Amino acid sequence: MATRADTSDTLLCLCARITESEVVSAIDGGAHDVLAVRDLTEASSGCGDCAADIEDLIADRTGGAPGV
């Protein structure tokens, strides 16, 4: 997974073909838990394997644990 400094168009969610930058945009727009990110982007709506990566990005972008 890319770090905050080099967030890119790397696919984060393979099922829905959602990029890391799309997830970061959702987080920066106020989606501070996996369900909110899923509602905005469809990431983690398939198999759910990317949920932990989304939680890590939320923690990175918000400076705390998911849901903060």
Side-chain angles (χ1 to χ4, degrees):
M1 183 169 74
T3 64
R4 212 166 39 163
D6 61 8
T7 297
S8 67
D9 287 328
T10 301
L11 283 179
L12 181 72
C13 177
L14 299 177
C15 296
R17 301 196 50 80
I18 305 301
T19 64
E20 185 172 331
S21 59
E22 290 173 288
V23 171
V24 167
S25 291
I27 295 165
D28 290 348
H32 293 166
D33 61 45
V34 174
L35 291 177
V37 170
R38 182 174 68 194
D39 288 345
L40 291 174
T41 67
E42 296 186 24
S44 191
S45 62
C47 73
D49 282 351
C50 60
D53 291 333
I54 294 170
E55 289 175 350
D56 290 344
L57 281 173
I58 292 168
D60 274 355
R61 301 300 290 188
T62 63
V68 173

